[in-house]
Amino acid sequence: MNEPVLRPSARLPKVYLYRDPIDFRKSFRGLALLVEQELGHNPYDGELFAFTNRHRNKIKCLFWEDNGFVLYYKSLSEDKFRWPRKADELITLTGQQLNWLLDGYDISQMKPYKKRRYDGNFQSHMGAVVVT
């Protein structure tokens, strides 16, 4: 497995997972507004906020870093993120738990996704996927 190159820090003290799916056309401005108005948090406090889409195959993270927003985006090829489903609107994780989620673990059960490797960009729809 390749070592992740760009990743939110595992040392982040607090990560908030927004439970409901969002419209992924939202930019950092729309996400910051959602954090402020719907969640009642200050998006400039340095906490990371993670969002998913309706299909649970994409994740967007918003983080304020000293002088600007960082937007992290990951799209899964075939799997879905194991997004926690609790009654709370906002779920708190550590930076390490967020990285486990990005690595494909169901953080409630600690079970990983299957590893996938493709031979080309459009091969996955033609059966050229290798699952290990």
Side-chain angles (χ1 to χ4, degrees), residues 5 9 16 29 34 38-39 44 50 53-54 61 76 85-86 93 95 97 100 123 128:
V5 178
S9 174
Y16 294 103
R29 287 183 180 97
L34 188 149
E38 283 192 37
L39 304 177
Y44 301 98
N53 63 340
R54 185 171 44 91
C61 297
L76 297 176
R85 297 180 192 271
K86 290 191 176 182
L93 300 177
Q97 288 170 319
W100 289 334
Q123 298 296 325

PDB file of all heavy atoms in Angstrom, residues 5 9 16 29 34 38-39 44 50 53-54 61 76 85-86 93 95 97 100 123 128:
ATOM      1  N   VAL A   5      -0.110  10.724   0.965  1.00  0.00           N
ATOM      2  CA  VAL A   5       0.732  11.905   0.791  1.00  0.00           C
ATOM      3  C   VAL A   5       0.083  13.132   1.430  1.00  0.00           C
ATOM      4  O   VAL A   5       0.693  13.805   2.241  1.00  0.00           O
ATOM      5  CB  VAL A   5       0.991  12.164  -0.710  1.00  0.00           C
ATOM      6  CG1 VAL A   5       1.816  13.408  -0.906  1.00  0.00           C
ATOM      7  CG2 VAL A   5       1.691  10.962  -1.332  1.00  0.00           C
ATOM      8  N   SER A   9      -3.944  15.842   9.622  1.00  0.00           N
ATOM      9  CA  SER A   9      -3.042  15.359  10.668  1.00  0.00           C
ATOM     10  C   SER A   9      -3.749  14.405  11.622  1.00  0.00           C
ATOM     11  O   SER A   9      -4.859  14.672  12.074  1.00  0.00           O
ATOM     12  CB  SER A   9      -2.484  16.543  11.461  1.00  0.00           C
ATOM     13  OG  SER A   9      -1.725  16.073  12.554  1.00  0.00           O
ATOM     14  N   TYR A  16     -14.927  17.011  13.704  1.00  0.00           N
ATOM     15  CA  TYR A  16     -16.378  16.898  13.762  1.00  0.00           C
ATOM     16  C   TYR A  16     -16.889  16.301  12.452  1.00  0.00           C
ATOM     17  O   TYR A  16     -16.587  16.809  11.378  1.00  0.00           O
ATOM     18  CB  TYR A  16     -17.024  18.268  13.967  1.00  0.00           C
ATOM     19  CG  TYR A  16     -16.708  18.883  15.314  1.00  0.00           C
ATOM     20  CD1 TYR A  16     -15.774  19.900  15.426  1.00  0.00           C
ATOM     21  CD2 TYR A  16     -17.348  18.436  16.462  1.00  0.00           C
ATOM     22  CE1 TYR A  16     -15.488  20.466  16.659  1.00  0.00           C
ATOM     23  CE2 TYR A  16     -17.075  18.997  17.696  1.00  0.00           C
ATOM     24  CZ  TYR A  16     -16.137  20.012  17.782  1.00  0.00           C
ATOM     25  OH  TYR A  16     -15.863  20.554  19.008  1.00  0.00           O
ATOM     26  N   ARG A  29     -16.542  28.372   1.280  1.00  0.00           N
ATOM     27  CA  ARG A  29     -17.410  29.419   1.834  1.00  0.00           C
ATOM     28  C   ARG A  29     -18.747  28.850   2.302  1.00  0.00           C
ATOM     29  O   ARG A  29     -19.223  29.166   3.386  1.00  0.00           O
ATOM     30  CB  ARG A  29     -17.642  30.517   0.802  1.00  0.00           C
ATOM     31  CG  ARG A  29     -16.444  31.398   0.580  1.00  0.00           C
ATOM     32  CD  ARG A  29     -16.767  32.528  -0.407  1.00  0.00           C
ATOM     33  NE  ARG A  29     -15.612  33.347  -0.610  1.00  0.00           N
ATOM     34  CZ  ARG A  29     -14.767  33.208  -1.626  1.00  0.00           C
ATOM     35  NH1 ARG A  29     -14.958  32.265  -2.529  1.00  0.00           N
ATOM     36  NH2 ARG A  29     -13.720  34.003  -1.732  1.00  0.00           N
ATOM     37  N   LEU A  34     -22.186  26.833   6.743  1.00  0.00           N
ATOM     38  CA  LEU A  34     -22.922  25.734   7.368  1.00  0.00           C
ATOM     39  C   LEU A  34     -22.401  25.476   8.784  1.00  0.00           C
ATOM     40  O   LEU A  34     -23.177  25.315   9.716  1.00  0.00           O
ATOM     41  CB  LEU A  34     -22.781  24.476   6.511  1.00  0.00           C
ATOM     42  CG  LEU A  34     -23.623  23.280   6.891  1.00  0.00           C
ATOM     43  CD1 LEU A  34     -23.961  22.475   5.646  1.00  0.00           C
ATOM     44  CD2 LEU A  34     -22.927  22.394   7.881  1.00  0.00           C
ATOM     45  N   GLU A  38     -25.471  26.483  11.057  1.00  0.00           N
ATOM     46  CA  GLU A  38     -26.212  25.286  11.462  1.00  0.00           C
ATOM     47  C   GLU A  38     -25.626  24.605  12.689  1.00  0.00           C
ATOM     48  O   GLU A  38     -26.354  24.049  13.497  1.00  0.00           O
ATOM     49  CB  GLU A  38     -26.268  24.278  10.312  1.00  0.00           C
ATOM     50  CG  GLU A  38     -27.273  24.641   9.248  1.00  0.00           C
ATOM     51  CD  GLU A  38     -27.528  23.503   8.288  1.00  0.00           C
ATOM     52  OE1 GLU A  38     -27.546  22.333   8.732  1.00  0.00           O
ATOM     53  OE2 GLU A  38     -27.699  23.787   7.096  1.00  0.00           O
ATOM     54  N   LEU A  39     -24.305  24.628  12.808  1.00  0.00           N
ATOM     55  CA  LEU A  39     -23.666  23.914  13.905  1.00  0.00           C
ATOM     56  C   LEU A  39     -23.314  24.805  15.083  1.00  0.00           C
ATOM     57  O   LEU A  39     -23.009  24.310  16.165  1.00  0.00           O
ATOM     58  CB  LEU A  39     -22.405  23.200  13.405  1.00  0.00           C
ATOM     59  CG  LEU A  39     -22.619  22.236  12.238  1.00  0.00           C
ATOM     60  CD1 LEU A  39     -21.304  21.649  11.784  1.00  0.00           C
ATOM     61  CD2 LEU A  39     -23.597  21.143  12.636  1.00  0.00           C
ATOM     62  N   TYR A  44     -13.195  29.286  12.079  1.00  0.00           N
ATOM     63  CA  TYR A  44     -11.827  29.814  12.144  1.00  0.00           C
ATOM     64  C   TYR A  44     -11.090  29.374  13.405  1.00  0.00           C
ATOM     65  O   TYR A  44      -9.986  29.835  13.666  1.00  0.00           O
ATOM     66  CB  TYR A  44     -11.852  31.340  12.074  1.00  0.00           C
ATOM     67  CG  TYR A  44     -12.495  31.858  10.805  1.00  0.00           C
ATOM     68  CD1 TYR A  44     -13.823  32.264  10.796  1.00  0.00           C
ATOM     69  CD2 TYR A  44     -11.771  31.909   9.620  1.00  0.00           C
ATOM     70  CE1 TYR A  44     -14.421  32.723   9.636  1.00  0.00           C
ATOM     71  CE2 TYR A  44     -12.361  32.369   8.452  1.00  0.00           C
ATOM     72  CZ  TYR A  44     -13.682  32.765   8.470  1.00  0.00           C
ATOM     73  OH  TYR A  44     -14.270  33.210   7.323  1.00  0.00           O
ATOM     74  N   ALA A  50     -15.784  17.440   8.873  1.00  0.00           N
ATOM     75  CA  ALA A  50     -15.851  16.479   7.770  1.00  0.00           C
ATOM     76  C   ALA A  50     -17.304  16.285   7.343  1.00  0.00           C
ATOM     77  O   ALA A  50     -18.195  16.192   8.179  1.00  0.00           O
ATOM     78  CB  ALA A  50     -15.243  15.153   8.193  1.00  0.00           C
ATOM     79  N   ASN A  53     -21.331  13.011   1.078  1.00  0.00           N
ATOM     80  CA  ASN A  53     -22.443  13.193   0.136  1.00  0.00           C
ATOM     81  C   ASN A  53     -23.522  12.146   0.398  1.00  0.00           C
ATOM     82  O   ASN A  53     -23.383  11.280   1.260  1.00  0.00           O
ATOM     83  CB  ASN A  53     -21.939  13.131  -1.305  1.00  0.00           C
ATOM     84  CG  ASN A  53     -21.349  11.779  -1.659  1.00  0.00           C
ATOM     85  OD1 ASN A  53     -20.966  10.996  -0.800  1.00  0.00           O
ATOM     86  ND2 ASN A  53     -21.253  11.505  -2.933  1.00  0.00           N
ATOM     87  N   ARG A  54     -24.580  12.208  -0.366  1.00  0.00           N
ATOM     88  CA  ARG A  54     -25.723  11.309  -0.180  1.00  0.00           C
ATOM     89  C   ARG A  54     -25.347   9.843  -0.417  1.00  0.00           C
ATOM     90  O   ARG A  54     -25.834   8.950   0.255  1.00  0.00           O
ATOM     91  CB  ARG A  54     -26.841  11.729  -1.131  1.00  0.00           C
ATOM     92  CG  ARG A  54     -28.121  10.956  -0.957  1.00  0.00           C
ATOM     93  CD  ARG A  54     -29.270  11.545  -1.762  1.00  0.00           C
ATOM     94  NE  ARG A  54     -28.921  11.925  -3.118  1.00  0.00           N
ATOM     95  CZ  ARG A  54     -29.034  11.119  -4.177  1.00  0.00           C
ATOM     96  NH1 ARG A  54     -29.466   9.896  -4.039  1.00  0.00           N
ATOM     97  NH2 ARG A  54     -28.718  11.550  -5.373  1.00  0.00           N
ATOM     98  N   CYS A  61     -13.365  17.686   3.811  1.00  0.00           N
ATOM     99  CA  CYS A  61     -12.973  18.179   5.128  1.00  0.00           C
ATOM    100  C   CYS A  61     -12.613  19.651   5.008  1.00  0.00           C
ATOM    101  O   CYS A  61     -11.919  20.050   4.065  1.00  0.00           O
ATOM    102  CB  CYS A  61     -11.759  17.417   5.660  1.00  0.00           C
ATOM    103  SG  CYS A  61     -12.061  15.673   5.924  1.00  0.00           S
ATOM    104  N   LEU A  76     -14.165   7.751  -3.236  1.00  0.00           N
ATOM    105  CA  LEU A  76     -13.892   6.316  -3.333  1.00  0.00           C
ATOM    106  C   LEU A  76     -14.327   5.798  -4.694  1.00  0.00           C
ATOM    107  O   LEU A  76     -15.337   6.248  -5.243  1.00  0.00           O
ATOM    108  CB  LEU A  76     -14.631   5.555  -2.234  1.00  0.00           C
ATOM    109  CG  LEU A  76     -14.233   5.892  -0.801  1.00  0.00           C
ATOM    110  CD1 LEU A  76     -15.106   5.128   0.184  1.00  0.00           C
ATOM    111  CD2 LEU A  76     -12.767   5.589  -0.564  1.00  0.00           C
ATOM    112  N   ARG A  85     -23.970   6.670  12.188  1.00  0.00           N
ATOM    113  CA  ARG A  85     -25.385   7.086  12.154  1.00  0.00           C
ATOM    114  C   ARG A  85     -25.904   7.134  13.578  1.00  0.00           C
ATOM    115  O   ARG A  85     -26.404   6.163  14.096  1.00  0.00           O
ATOM    116  CB  ARG A  85     -26.204   6.116  11.327  1.00  0.00           C
ATOM    117  CG  ARG A  85     -25.790   6.070   9.888  1.00  0.00           C
ATOM    118  CD  ARG A  85     -26.659   5.082   9.137  1.00  0.00           C
ATOM    119  NE  ARG A  85     -26.136   4.808   7.831  1.00  0.00           N
ATOM    120  CZ  ARG A  85     -26.438   5.516   6.736  1.00  0.00           C
ATOM    121  NH1 ARG A  85     -27.256   6.524   6.821  1.00  0.00           N
ATOM    122  NH2 ARG A  85     -25.910   5.210   5.582  1.00  0.00           N
ATOM    123  N   LYS A  86     -25.756   8.282  14.190  1.00  0.00           N
ATOM    124  CA  LYS A  86     -26.246   8.470  15.553  1.00  0.00           C
ATOM    125  C   LYS A  86     -27.296   9.573  15.551  1.00  0.00           C
ATOM    126  O   LYS A  86     -27.446  10.298  14.584  1.00  0.00           O
ATOM    127  CB  LYS A  86     -25.093   8.851  16.491  1.00  0.00           C
ATOM    128  CG  LYS A  86     -24.128   7.710  16.737  1.00  0.00           C
ATOM    129  CD  LYS A  86     -23.203   8.058  17.858  1.00  0.00           C
ATOM    130  CE  LYS A  86     -22.315   6.863  18.165  1.00  0.00           C
ATOM    131  NZ  LYS A  86     -21.425   7.113  19.260  1.00  0.00           N
ATOM    132  N   LEU A  93     -14.625  13.083  16.601  1.00  0.00           N
ATOM    133  CA  LEU A  93     -13.574  12.069  16.473  1.00  0.00           C
ATOM    134  C   LEU A  93     -12.229  12.706  16.759  1.00  0.00           C
ATOM    135  O   LEU A  93     -12.111  13.928  16.835  1.00  0.00           O
ATOM    136  CB  LEU A  93     -13.523  11.514  15.041  1.00  0.00           C
ATOM    137  CG  LEU A  93     -14.725  10.826  14.460  1.00  0.00           C
ATOM    138  CD1 LEU A  93     -14.451  10.427  13.018  1.00  0.00           C
ATOM    139  CD2 LEU A  93     -15.099   9.617  15.274  1.00  0.00           C
ATOM    140  N   GLY A  95      -8.159  13.043  15.287  1.00  0.00           N
ATOM    141  CA  GLY A  95      -7.505  13.045  13.985  1.00  0.00           C
ATOM    142  C   GLY A  95      -7.138  11.639  13.534  1.00  0.00           C
ATOM    143  O   GLY A  95      -7.235  11.301  12.350  1.00  0.00           O
ATOM    144  N   GLN A  97      -8.730   8.832  14.316  1.00  0.00           N
ATOM    145  CA  GLN A  97      -9.957   8.154  13.903  1.00  0.00           C
ATOM    146  C   GLN A  97     -10.403   8.616  12.517  1.00  0.00           C
ATOM    147  O   GLN A  97     -10.888   7.811  11.722  1.00  0.00           O
ATOM    148  CB  GLN A  97     -11.064   8.390  14.924  1.00  0.00           C
ATOM    149  CG  GLN A  97     -10.842   7.641  16.221  1.00  0.00           C
ATOM    150  CD  GLN A  97     -11.818   8.062  17.307  1.00  0.00           C
ATOM    151  OE1 GLN A  97     -12.121   9.255  17.451  1.00  0.00           O
ATOM    152  NE2 GLN A  97     -12.305   7.101  18.067  1.00  0.00           N
ATOM    153  N   TRP A 100      -8.328   6.791  10.060  1.00  0.00           N
ATOM    154  CA  TRP A 100      -8.807   5.409   9.916  1.00  0.00           C
ATOM    155  C   TRP A 100     -10.029   5.369   9.003  1.00  0.00           C
ATOM    156  O   TRP A 100     -10.150   4.487   8.159  1.00  0.00           O
ATOM    157  CB  TRP A 100      -9.146   4.816  11.278  1.00  0.00           C
ATOM    158  CG  TRP A 100      -7.961   4.515  12.135  1.00  0.00           C
ATOM    159  CD1 TRP A 100      -6.680   4.245  11.715  1.00  0.00           C
ATOM    160  CD2 TRP A 100      -7.939   4.443  13.551  1.00  0.00           C
ATOM    161  NE1 TRP A 100      -5.869   4.023  12.799  1.00  0.00           N
ATOM    162  CE2 TRP A 100      -6.616   4.129  13.946  1.00  0.00           C
ATOM    163  CE3 TRP A 100      -8.896   4.619  14.539  1.00  0.00           C
ATOM    164  CZ2 TRP A 100      -6.240   3.981  15.272  1.00  0.00           C
ATOM    165  CZ3 TRP A 100      -8.526   4.465  15.864  1.00  0.00           C
ATOM    166  CH2 TRP A 100      -7.216   4.149  16.213  1.00  0.00           C
ATOM    167  N   GLN A 123     -10.769   1.468 -16.482  1.00  0.00           N
ATOM    168  CA  GLN A 123     -10.807   0.021 -16.510  1.00  0.00           C
ATOM    169  C   GLN A 123     -11.775  -0.580 -15.499  1.00  0.00           C
ATOM    170  O   GLN A 123     -12.216  -1.698 -15.668  1.00  0.00           O
ATOM    171  CB  GLN A 123      -9.406  -0.554 -16.256  1.00  0.00           C
ATOM    172  CG  GLN A 123      -8.391  -0.165 -17.313  1.00  0.00           C
ATOM    173  CD  GLN A 123      -8.737  -0.738 -18.680  1.00  0.00           C
ATOM    174  OE1 GLN A 123      -9.258  -1.831 -18.766  1.00  0.00           O
ATOM    175  NE2 GLN A 123      -8.480   0.018 -19.727  1.00  0.00           N
ATOM    176  N   ALA A 128     -11.381  -4.812 -14.946  1.00  0.00           N
ATOM    177  CA  ALA A 128      -9.924  -4.914 -14.805  1.00  0.00           C
ATOM    178  C   ALA A 128      -9.459  -4.513 -13.412  1.00  0.00           C
ATOM    179  O   ALA A 128      -8.349  -4.087 -13.236  1.00  0.00           O
ATOM    180  CB  ALA A 128      -9.233  -4.049 -15.861  1.00  0.00           C
TER     181      ALA A 128
END
